[in-house]
Amino acid sequence: MKDNFAARLMWRSVLNLIASAVLALICLSLLFAVTLFLTNTLPGLGFVRAVGEAFVNGTGSIGMIFLWGVLFLIWFLALQWFLFAPLGKVNDAITRVADGQLDLNHQIPVRSGVFGILAGNVNRLSHRLQLALDEERRAEQTKNELITNVSHDLRTPLTSVVGYLGLIEQDGYRDEVELRHYVSIAYDKSQRLHELINDLFEYTRMRHDTIALKTSPINLVEMLGELLVQYRVPLQEAGMESGMKSAETTIMVQADAAKLVRVFENLISNAMTYGKEGKRVDVVVRSGQGQSVVAEVVNYGEAIPAVDLPYLFERFYRGDKSRTQWSGGSGLGLAISKSIIEKHGGMIDVVSNSEYTSFRVTLPKI
């Protein structure tokens, strides 16, 4: 339950009123006690007692109330000043942030009390604003990179298509064999364009949550086993072996089978492409912590550079070695895979070292 700041402030002011009344009464008593003690001890100060007695005798209870009122006002103003003093510091800090004299993530010292809560909330607000600005900058940078990368990836095959079709249109071929060769190249490049555009649409729909999952209970062990069988010939042609490892024969998940197959097809294809030196791809399925299941696609080829790991699932991210290193075809495969897994309530990550590279998918188990 959140604190009601106005109510806390009101009650603190009420407590200050009560405390001021009590402290004024105590001070009044101490004042008379000290005056009486001093005048009895030091006869030379008898005039102080005489003035006090004259004031009290002359005004009666009104004089006592007046003295108490003065003391009460002094104490109340002092307590209220201590209560509201942090508000000035909060205002000064906010003003300096607004004027650009301090960073947006500047933290105001938080002390106990009503305005300590306010200072803490202002700190949280400034922190969240800083995160929002950082996210906006990253989004702008990502948008610029997306435009650049899409332009590059579309232009490269499109240039080939236009070039070879131009040669055909201008009869720039020697014979029918060369004509068919040009047509074949143009067709392959157009297929590449088709794949990239489809991936762009798929990624956009997944990111904007416009695709409804058609979920059903799926035996993940059985599904991945069948997928490895389908990849047996491509793996053999790549000179690689495969293996399925699972201590259980049945591990059920609630998922969209077509979308989940696409994720693991992409992971296995990447393992074949970039882990070819390791000569092997293993799929490991096991129960995770709590109600979860973990499926790993492991290859034993060259390790992914550590600097690339945090950004591997970003759209169109390329490592430093080349534009295609660990990008997976259109450069959107891993980004789409991440979106699909997150839409299923799971997560995907990667571990890579000199011994192996493992893409790990965690899903809720039913």
Side-chain angles (χ1 to χ4, degrees), residues 161-180:
V161 170
V162 172
Y164 283 107
L165 289 180
L167 288 174
I168 295 172
E169 195 272 336
Q170 298 169 11
D171 296 328
Y173 53 90
R174 293 188 298 269
D175 50 33
E176 186 176 347
V177 174
E178 192 169 55
L179 171 62
R180 285 184 171 274

mmCIF file with all atom_site columns, all heavy atoms in Angstrom, residues 161-180:
data_model
loop_
_atom_site.group_PDB
_atom_site.id
_atom_site.type_symbol
_atom_site.label_atom_id
_atom_site.label_alt_id
_atom_site.label_comp_id
_atom_site.label_asym_id
_atom_site.label_entity_id
_atom_site.label_seq_id
_atom_site.pdbx_PDB_ins_code
_atom_site.Cartn_x
_atom_site.Cartn_y
_atom_site.Cartn_z
_atom_site.occupancy
_atom_site.B_iso_or_equiv
_atom_site.pdbx_formal_charge
_atom_site.auth_seq_id
_atom_site.auth_comp_id
_atom_site.auth_asym_id
_atom_site.auth_atom_id
_atom_site.pdbx_PDB_model_num
ATOM 1   N N   . VAL A 1 161 ? 20.020 -8.373  -59.379 1.00 0.00 ? 161 VAL A N   1
ATOM 2   C CA  . VAL A 1 161 ? 18.830 -8.671  -60.184 1.00 0.00 ? 161 VAL A CA  1
ATOM 3   C C   . VAL A 1 161 ? 18.717 -7.692  -61.351 1.00 0.00 ? 161 VAL A C   1
ATOM 4   O O   . VAL A 1 161 ? 18.523 -8.091  -62.516 1.00 0.00 ? 161 VAL A O   1
ATOM 5   C CB  . VAL A 1 161 ? 17.559 -8.623  -59.302 1.00 0.00 ? 161 VAL A CB  1
ATOM 6   C CG1 . VAL A 1 161 ? 16.309 -8.698  -60.176 1.00 0.00 ? 161 VAL A CG1 1
ATOM 7   C CG2 . VAL A 1 161 ? 17.571 -9.752  -58.291 1.00 0.00 ? 161 VAL A CG2 1
ATOM 8   N N   . VAL A 1 162 ? 18.828 -6.398  -61.053 1.00 0.00 ? 162 VAL A N   1
ATOM 9   C CA  . VAL A 1 162 ? 18.715 -5.380  -62.105 1.00 0.00 ? 162 VAL A CA  1
ATOM 10  C C   . VAL A 1 162 ? 19.830 -5.533  -63.130 1.00 0.00 ? 162 VAL A C   1
ATOM 11  O O   . VAL A 1 162 ? 19.609 -5.425  -64.353 1.00 0.00 ? 162 VAL A O   1
ATOM 12  C CB  . VAL A 1 162 ? 18.745 -3.967  -61.476 1.00 0.00 ? 162 VAL A CB  1
ATOM 13  C CG1 . VAL A 1 162 ? 18.819 -2.893  -62.559 1.00 0.00 ? 162 VAL A CG1 1
ATOM 14  C CG2 . VAL A 1 162 ? 17.518 -3.745  -60.603 1.00 0.00 ? 162 VAL A CG2 1
ATOM 15  N N   . GLY A 1 163 ? 21.043 -5.833  -62.643 1.00 0.00 ? 163 GLY A N   1
ATOM 16  C CA  . GLY A 1 163 ? 22.174 -5.967  -63.556 1.00 0.00 ? 163 GLY A CA  1
ATOM 17  C C   . GLY A 1 163 ? 22.006 -7.120  -64.532 1.00 0.00 ? 163 GLY A C   1
ATOM 18  O O   . GLY A 1 163 ? 22.179 -6.948  -65.755 1.00 0.00 ? 163 GLY A O   1
ATOM 19  N N   . TYR A 1 164 ? 21.678 -8.300  -64.003 1.00 0.00 ? 164 TYR A N   1
ATOM 20  C CA  . TYR A 1 164 ? 21.550 -9.468  -64.882 1.00 0.00 ? 164 TYR A CA  1
ATOM 21  C C   . TYR A 1 164 ? 20.321 -9.367  -65.779 1.00 0.00 ? 164 TYR A C   1
ATOM 22  O O   . TYR A 1 164 ? 20.362 -9.781  -66.951 1.00 0.00 ? 164 TYR A O   1
ATOM 23  C CB  . TYR A 1 164 ? 21.516 -10.747 -64.058 1.00 0.00 ? 164 TYR A CB  1
ATOM 24  C CG  . TYR A 1 164 ? 22.878 -11.150 -63.559 1.00 0.00 ? 164 TYR A CG  1
ATOM 25  C CD1 . TYR A 1 164 ? 23.232 -11.003 -62.213 1.00 0.00 ? 164 TYR A CD1 1
ATOM 26  C CD2 . TYR A 1 164 ? 23.827 -11.675 -64.429 1.00 0.00 ? 164 TYR A CD2 1
ATOM 27  C CE1 . TYR A 1 164 ? 24.488 -11.348 -61.766 1.00 0.00 ? 164 TYR A CE1 1
ATOM 28  C CE2 . TYR A 1 164 ? 25.096 -12.040 -63.985 1.00 0.00 ? 164 TYR A CE2 1
ATOM 29  C CZ  . TYR A 1 164 ? 25.421 -11.867 -62.654 1.00 0.00 ? 164 TYR A CZ  1
ATOM 30  O OH  . TYR A 1 164 ? 26.672 -12.221 -62.227 1.00 0.00 ? 164 TYR A OH  1
ATOM 31  N N   . LEU A 1 165 ? 19.216 -8.833  -65.251 1.00 0.00 ? 165 LEU A N   1
ATOM 32  C CA  . LEU A 1 165 ? 18.048 -8.641  -66.118 1.00 0.00 ? 165 LEU A CA  1
ATOM 33  C C   . LEU A 1 165 ? 18.340 -7.599  -67.192 1.00 0.00 ? 165 LEU A C   1
ATOM 34  O O   . LEU A 1 165 ? 17.830 -7.700  -68.327 1.00 0.00 ? 165 LEU A O   1
ATOM 35  C CB  . LEU A 1 165 ? 16.837 -8.206  -65.278 1.00 0.00 ? 165 LEU A CB  1
ATOM 36  C CG  . LEU A 1 165 ? 16.239 -9.285  -64.363 1.00 0.00 ? 165 LEU A CG  1
ATOM 37  C CD1 . LEU A 1 165 ? 15.046 -8.721  -63.602 1.00 0.00 ? 165 LEU A CD1 1
ATOM 38  C CD2 . LEU A 1 165 ? 15.811 -10.521 -65.162 1.00 0.00 ? 165 LEU A CD2 1
ATOM 39  N N   . GLY A 1 166 ? 19.158 -6.621  -66.874 1.00 0.00 ? 166 GLY A N   1
ATOM 40  C CA  . GLY A 1 166 ? 19.559 -5.645  -67.880 1.00 0.00 ? 166 GLY A CA  1
ATOM 41  C C   . GLY A 1 166 ? 20.369 -6.287  -68.988 1.00 0.00 ? 166 GLY A C   1
ATOM 42  O O   . GLY A 1 166 ? 20.187 -5.970  -70.179 1.00 0.00 ? 166 GLY A O   1
ATOM 43  N N   . LEU A 1 167 ? 21.290 -7.192  -68.621 1.00 0.00 ? 167 LEU A N   1
ATOM 44  C CA  . LEU A 1 167 ? 22.066 -7.919  -69.633 1.00 0.00 ? 167 LEU A CA  1
ATOM 45  C C   . LEU A 1 167 ? 21.150 -8.745  -70.525 1.00 0.00 ? 167 LEU A C   1
ATOM 46  O O   . LEU A 1 167 ? 21.341 -8.801  -71.754 1.00 0.00 ? 167 LEU A O   1
ATOM 47  C CB  . LEU A 1 167 ? 23.094 -8.816  -68.950 1.00 0.00 ? 167 LEU A CB  1
ATOM 48  C CG  . LEU A 1 167 ? 24.293 -8.128  -68.293 1.00 0.00 ? 167 LEU A CG  1
ATOM 49  C CD1 . LEU A 1 167 ? 25.137 -9.139  -67.539 1.00 0.00 ? 167 LEU A CD1 1
ATOM 50  C CD2 . LEU A 1 167 ? 25.138 -7.410  -69.343 1.00 0.00 ? 167 LEU A CD2 1
ATOM 51  N N   . ILE A 1 168 ? 20.166 -9.394  -69.894 1.00 0.00 ? 168 ILE A N   1
ATOM 52  C CA  . ILE A 1 168 ? 19.236 -10.209 -70.688 1.00 0.00 ? 168 ILE A CA  1
ATOM 53  C C   . ILE A 1 168 ? 18.413 -9.329  -71.613 1.00 0.00 ? 168 ILE A C   1
ATOM 54  O O   . ILE A 1 168 ? 18.215 -9.634  -72.791 1.00 0.00 ? 168 ILE A O   1
ATOM 55  C CB  . ILE A 1 168 ? 18.314 -11.021 -69.741 1.00 0.00 ? 168 ILE A CB  1
ATOM 56  C CG1 . ILE A 1 168 ? 19.142 -12.043 -68.946 1.00 0.00 ? 168 ILE A CG1 1
ATOM 57  C CG2 . ILE A 1 168 ? 17.214 -11.724 -70.527 1.00 0.00 ? 168 ILE A CG2 1
ATOM 58  C CD1 . ILE A 1 168 ? 18.362 -12.751 -67.857 1.00 0.00 ? 168 ILE A CD1 1
ATOM 59  N N   . GLU A 1 169 ? 17.937 -8.185  -71.053 1.00 0.00 ? 169 GLU A N   1
ATOM 60  C CA  . GLU A 1 169 ? 17.092 -7.301  -71.858 1.00 0.00 ? 169 GLU A CA  1
ATOM 61  C C   . GLU A 1 169 ? 17.865 -6.726  -73.050 1.00 0.00 ? 169 GLU A C   1
ATOM 62  O O   . GLU A 1 169 ? 17.306 -6.495  -74.131 1.00 0.00 ? 169 GLU A O   1
ATOM 63  C CB  . GLU A 1 169 ? 16.564 -6.177  -70.961 1.00 0.00 ? 169 GLU A CB  1
ATOM 64  C CG  . GLU A 1 169 ? 15.394 -5.387  -71.562 1.00 0.00 ? 169 GLU A CG  1
ATOM 65  C CD  . GLU A 1 169 ? 15.865 -4.232  -72.416 1.00 0.00 ? 169 GLU A CD  1
ATOM 66  O OE1 . GLU A 1 169 ? 17.004 -3.759  -72.207 1.00 0.00 ? 169 GLU A OE1 1
ATOM 67  O OE2 . GLU A 1 169 ? 15.104 -3.823  -73.304 1.00 0.00 ? 169 GLU A OE2 1
ATOM 68  N N   . GLN A 1 170 ? 19.195 -6.546  -72.895 1.00 0.00 ? 170 GLN A N   1
ATOM 69  C CA  . GLN A 1 170 ? 20.026 -5.980  -73.948 1.00 0.00 ? 170 GLN A CA  1
ATOM 70  C C   . GLN A 1 170 ? 20.704 -7.065  -74.793 1.00 0.00 ? 170 GLN A C   1
ATOM 71  O O   . GLN A 1 170 ? 21.612 -6.763  -75.578 1.00 0.00 ? 170 GLN A O   1
ATOM 72  C CB  . GLN A 1 170 ? 21.099 -5.068  -73.330 1.00 0.00 ? 170 GLN A CB  1
ATOM 73  C CG  . GLN A 1 170 ? 20.539 -3.867  -72.581 1.00 0.00 ? 170 GLN A CG  1
ATOM 74  C CD  . GLN A 1 170 ? 21.600 -3.137  -71.767 1.00 0.00 ? 170 GLN A CD  1
ATOM 75  O OE1 . GLN A 1 170 ? 22.799 -3.403  -71.916 1.00 0.00 ? 170 GLN A OE1 1
ATOM 76  N NE2 . GLN A 1 170 ? 21.168 -2.210  -70.920 1.00 0.00 ? 170 GLN A NE2 1
ATOM 77  N N   . ASP A 1 171 ? 20.258 -8.322  -74.596 1.00 0.00 ? 171 ASP A N   1
ATOM 78  C CA  . ASP A 1 171 ? 20.847 -9.458  -75.329 1.00 0.00 ? 171 ASP A CA  1
ATOM 79  C C   . ASP A 1 171 ? 22.347 -9.560  -75.086 1.00 0.00 ? 171 ASP A C   1
ATOM 80  O O   . ASP A 1 171 ? 23.131 -9.900  -75.993 1.00 0.00 ? 171 ASP A O   1
ATOM 81  C CB  . ASP A 1 171 ? 20.577 -9.327  -76.840 1.00 0.00 ? 171 ASP A CB  1
ATOM 82  C CG  . ASP A 1 171 ? 19.086 -9.399  -77.164 1.00 0.00 ? 171 ASP A CG  1
ATOM 83  O OD1 . ASP A 1 171 ? 18.368 -10.111 -76.429 1.00 0.00 ? 171 ASP A OD1 1
ATOM 84  O OD2 . ASP A 1 171 ? 18.644 -8.733  -78.103 1.00 0.00 ? 171 ASP A OD2 1
ATOM 85  N N   . GLY A 1 172 ? 22.731 -9.296  -73.851 1.00 0.00 ? 172 GLY A N   1
ATOM 86  C CA  . GLY A 1 172 ? 24.150 -9.341  -73.526 1.00 0.00 ? 172 GLY A CA  1
ATOM 87  C C   . GLY A 1 172 ? 24.610 -10.717 -73.090 1.00 0.00 ? 172 GLY A C   1
ATOM 88  O O   . GLY A 1 172 ? 25.349 -10.825 -72.096 1.00 0.00 ? 172 GLY A O   1
ATOM 89  N N   . TYR A 1 173 ? 24.223 -11.742 -73.778 1.00 0.00 ? 173 TYR A N   1
ATOM 90  C CA  . TYR A 1 173 ? 24.645 -13.115 -73.471 1.00 0.00 ? 173 TYR A CA  1
ATOM 91  C C   . TYR A 1 173 ? 25.024 -13.794 -74.782 1.00 0.00 ? 173 TYR A C   1
ATOM 92  O O   . TYR A 1 173 ? 24.543 -13.447 -75.858 1.00 0.00 ? 173 TYR A O   1
ATOM 93  C CB  . TYR A 1 173 ? 23.528 -13.881 -72.761 1.00 0.00 ? 173 TYR A CB  1
ATOM 94  C CG  . TYR A 1 173 ? 22.199 -13.859 -73.483 1.00 0.00 ? 173 TYR A CG  1
ATOM 95  C CD1 . TYR A 1 173 ? 21.897 -14.851 -74.419 1.00 0.00 ? 173 TYR A CD1 1
ATOM 96  C CD2 . TYR A 1 173 ? 21.261 -12.856 -73.239 1.00 0.00 ? 173 TYR A CD2 1
ATOM 97  C CE1 . TYR A 1 173 ? 20.672 -14.826 -75.094 1.00 0.00 ? 173 TYR A CE1 1
ATOM 98  C CE2 . TYR A 1 173 ? 20.052 -12.826 -73.906 1.00 0.00 ? 173 TYR A CE2 1
ATOM 99  C CZ  . TYR A 1 173 ? 19.750 -13.815 -74.820 1.00 0.00 ? 173 TYR A CZ  1
ATOM 100 O OH  . TYR A 1 173 ? 18.556 -13.799 -75.490 1.00 0.00 ? 173 TYR A OH  1
ATOM 101 N N   . ARG A 1 174 ? 25.920 -14.786 -74.671 1.00 0.00 ? 174 ARG A N   1
ATOM 102 C CA  . ARG A 1 174 ? 26.449 -15.441 -75.859 1.00 0.00 ? 174 ARG A CA  1
ATOM 103 C C   . ARG A 1 174 ? 25.532 -16.535 -76.385 1.00 0.00 ? 174 ARG A C   1
ATOM 104 O O   . ARG A 1 174 ? 25.371 -16.711 -77.574 1.00 0.00 ? 174 ARG A O   1
ATOM 105 C CB  . ARG A 1 174 ? 27.839 -16.010 -75.570 1.00 0.00 ? 174 ARG A CB  1
ATOM 106 C CG  . ARG A 1 174 ? 28.902 -14.940 -75.324 1.00 0.00 ? 174 ARG A CG  1
ATOM 107 C CD  . ARG A 1 174 ? 30.278 -15.570 -75.229 1.00 0.00 ? 174 ARG A CD  1
ATOM 108 N NE  . ARG A 1 174 ? 30.375 -16.488 -74.113 1.00 0.00 ? 174 ARG A NE  1
ATOM 109 C CZ  . ARG A 1 174 ? 30.783 -16.146 -72.900 1.00 0.00 ? 174 ARG A CZ  1
ATOM 110 N NH1 . ARG A 1 174 ? 31.108 -14.883 -72.656 1.00 0.00 ? 174 ARG A NH1 1
ATOM 111 N NH2 . ARG A 1 174 ? 30.858 -17.033 -71.927 1.00 0.00 ? 174 ARG A NH2 1
ATOM 112 N N   . ASP A 1 175 ? 24.948 -17.293 -75.448 1.00 0.00 ? 175 ASP A N   1
ATOM 113 C CA  . ASP A 1 175 ? 24.123 -18.415 -75.877 1.00 0.00 ? 175 ASP A CA  1
ATOM 114 C C   . ASP A 1 175 ? 23.060 -18.676 -74.811 1.00 0.00 ? 175 ASP A C   1
ATOM 115 O O   . ASP A 1 175 ? 22.975 -17.981 -73.797 1.00 0.00 ? 175 ASP A O   1
ATOM 116 C CB  . ASP A 1 175 ? 24.982 -19.664 -76.119 1.00 0.00 ? 175 ASP A CB  1
ATOM 117 C CG  . ASP A 1 175 ? 25.909 -19.951 -74.942 1.00 0.00 ? 175 ASP A CG  1
ATOM 118 O OD1 . ASP A 1 175 ? 25.518 -19.671 -73.783 1.00 0.00 ? 175 ASP A OD1 1
ATOM 119 O OD2 . ASP A 1 175 ? 27.028 -20.435 -75.156 1.00 0.00 ? 175 ASP A OD2 1
ATOM 120 N N   . GLU A 1 176 ? 22.262 -19.709 -75.035 1.00 0.00 ? 176 GLU A N   1
ATOM 121 C CA  . GLU A 1 176 ? 21.174 -20.031 -74.122 1.00 0.00 ? 176 GLU A CA  1
ATOM 122 C C   . GLU A 1 176 ? 21.690 -20.483 -72.758 1.00 0.00 ? 176 GLU A C   1
ATOM 123 O O   . GLU A 1 176 ? 21.054 -20.233 -71.728 1.00 0.00 ? 176 GLU A O   1
ATOM 124 C CB  . GLU A 1 176 ? 20.286 -21.112 -74.738 1.00 0.00 ? 176 GLU A CB  1
ATOM 125 C CG  . GLU A 1 176 ? 19.034 -21.399 -73.904 1.00 0.00 ? 176 GLU A CG  1
ATOM 126 C CD  . GLU A 1 176 ? 18.116 -22.408 -74.567 1.00 0.00 ? 176 GLU A CD  1
ATOM 127 O OE1 . GLU A 1 176 ? 18.297 -22.710 -75.760 1.00 0.00 ? 176 GLU A OE1 1
ATOM 128 O OE2 . GLU A 1 176 ? 17.212 -22.889 -73.846 1.00 0.00 ? 176 GLU A OE2 1
ATOM 129 N N   . VAL A 1 177 ? 22.849 -21.136 -72.760 1.00 0.00 ? 177 VAL A N   1
ATOM 130 C CA  . VAL A 1 177 ? 23.421 -21.589 -71.484 1.00 0.00 ? 177 VAL A CA  1
ATOM 131 C C   . VAL A 1 177 ? 23.740 -20.389 -70.594 1.00 0.00 ? 177 VAL A C   1
ATOM 132 O O   . VAL A 1 177 ? 23.425 -20.371 -69.397 1.00 0.00 ? 177 VAL A O   1
ATOM 133 C CB  . VAL A 1 177 ? 24.698 -22.426 -71.734 1.00 0.00 ? 177 VAL A CB  1
ATOM 134 C CG1 . VAL A 1 177 ? 25.381 -22.762 -70.406 1.00 0.00 ? 177 VAL A CG1 1
ATOM 135 C CG2 . VAL A 1 177 ? 24.371 -23.694 -72.493 1.00 0.00 ? 177 VAL A CG2 1
ATOM 136 N N   . GLU A 1 178 ? 24.367 -19.378 -71.188 1.00 0.00 ? 178 GLU A N   1
ATOM 137 C CA  . GLU A 1 178 ? 24.681 -18.179 -70.408 1.00 0.00 ? 178 GLU A CA  1
ATOM 138 C C   . GLU A 1 178 ? 23.404 -17.449 -70.005 1.00 0.00 ? 178 GLU A C   1
ATOM 139 O O   . GLU A 1 178 ? 23.314 -16.885 -68.914 1.00 0.00 ? 178 GLU A O   1
ATOM 140 C CB  . GLU A 1 178 ? 25.575 -17.263 -71.232 1.00 0.00 ? 178 GLU A CB  1
ATOM 141 C CG  . GLU A 1 178 ? 26.183 -16.128 -70.406 1.00 0.00 ? 178 GLU A CG  1
ATOM 142 C CD  . GLU A 1 178 ? 27.268 -15.392 -71.163 1.00 0.00 ? 178 GLU A CD  1
ATOM 143 O OE1 . GLU A 1 178 ? 26.992 -14.910 -72.280 1.00 0.00 ? 178 GLU A OE1 1
ATOM 144 O OE2 . GLU A 1 178 ? 28.392 -15.294 -70.620 1.00 0.00 ? 178 GLU A OE2 1
ATOM 145 N N   . LEU A 1 179 ? 22.395 -17.454 -70.895 1.00 0.00 ? 179 LEU A N   1
ATOM 146 C CA  . LEU A 1 179 ? 21.110 -16.848 -70.562 1.00 0.00 ? 179 LEU A CA  1
ATOM 147 C C   . LEU A 1 179 ? 20.499 -17.508 -69.335 1.00 0.00 ? 179 LEU A C   1
ATOM 148 O O   . LEU A 1 179 ? 20.030 -16.827 -68.416 1.00 0.00 ? 179 LEU A O   1
ATOM 149 C CB  . LEU A 1 179 ? 20.164 -16.962 -71.758 1.00 0.00 ? 179 LEU A CB  1
ATOM 150 C CG  . LEU A 1 179 ? 18.702 -16.562 -71.501 1.00 0.00 ? 179 LEU A CG  1
ATOM 151 C CD1 . LEU A 1 179 ? 18.606 -15.092 -71.106 1.00 0.00 ? 179 LEU A CD1 1
ATOM 152 C CD2 . LEU A 1 179 ? 17.838 -16.849 -72.731 1.00 0.00 ? 179 LEU A CD2 1
ATOM 153 N N   . ARG A 1 180 ? 20.501 -18.845 -69.348 1.00 0.00 ? 180 ARG A N   1
ATOM 154 C CA  . ARG A 1 180 ? 19.942 -19.560 -68.195 1.00 0.00 ? 180 ARG A CA  1
ATOM 155 C C   . ARG A 1 180 ? 20.747 -19.273 -66.933 1.00 0.00 ? 180 ARG A C   1
ATOM 156 O O   . ARG A 1 180 ? 20.194 -19.205 -65.837 1.00 0.00 ? 180 ARG A O   1
ATOM 157 C CB  . ARG A 1 180 ? 19.920 -21.065 -68.482 1.00 0.00 ? 180 ARG A CB  1
ATOM 158 C CG  . ARG A 1 180 ? 18.828 -21.495 -69.457 1.00 0.00 ? 180 ARG A CG  1
ATOM 159 C CD  . ARG A 1 180 ? 18.798 -23.003 -69.620 1.00 0.00 ? 180 ARG A CD  1
ATOM 160 N NE  . ARG A 1 180 ? 17.647 -23.407 -70.377 1.00 0.00 ? 180 ARG A NE  1
ATOM 161 C CZ  . ARG A 1 180 ? 16.444 -23.646 -69.870 1.00 0.00 ? 180 ARG A CZ  1
ATOM 162 N NH1 . ARG A 1 180 ? 16.265 -23.490 -68.555 1.00 0.00 ? 180 ARG A NH1 1
ATOM 163 N NH2 . ARG A 1 180 ? 15.441 -24.020 -70.625 1.00 0.00 ? 180 ARG A NH2 1
#
